[in-house]
Amino acid sequence: DGGGLEGSVPISRVIPPSTLDYITLVFALSALPPAAAPAAAARLAALLRPGGCVLLRDYAEGDLAQMRHPSGSKLSNGTYIRGDFTIA
């Protein structure tokens, strides 16, 4: 599946399952709608070899990026929308 993006190629056609030792995600999950994150994580996990790992850096509760959010950007408890429409 292409994750629902028009014109996208299913990742399984590019990277065979169970072939990666690690996956690096840098501010990637916050670019997805919160409801899409579990399915994206499952698709990525299927690409990892047994014992593989995901290296993740994204926004976190109480980090400096969250403290800088202007009032009115809070979507729910601990969830904010940034000016670039990513979720923090």
Side-chain angles (χ1 to χ4, degrees):
D1 65 77
L5 300 176
E6 185 177 331
S8 61
V9 175
I11 193 122
S12 60
R13 287 176 51 197
V14 180
I15 303 171
S18 302
T19 56
L20 300 178
D21 292 317
Y22 63 90
I23 296 171
T24 303
L25 300 172
V26 180
F27 297 106
L29 292 178
S30 60
L32 299 175
R43 286 194 300 272
L44 291 169
L47 301 175
L48 291 171
R49 290 181 177 151
C53 68
V54 176
L55 307 172
L56 175 67
R57 169 59 174 112
D58 222 309
Y59 301 104
E61 183 78 27
D63 70 5
L64 184 58
Q66 184 185 50
M67 301 300 180
R68 291 184 188 164
H69 291 300
S71 63
S73 63
K74 187 173 186 175
L75 296 177
S76 64
N77 190 24
T79 306
Y80 297 80
I81 185 98
R82 294 173 36 92
D84 62 1
F85 301 105
T86 58
I87 307 296

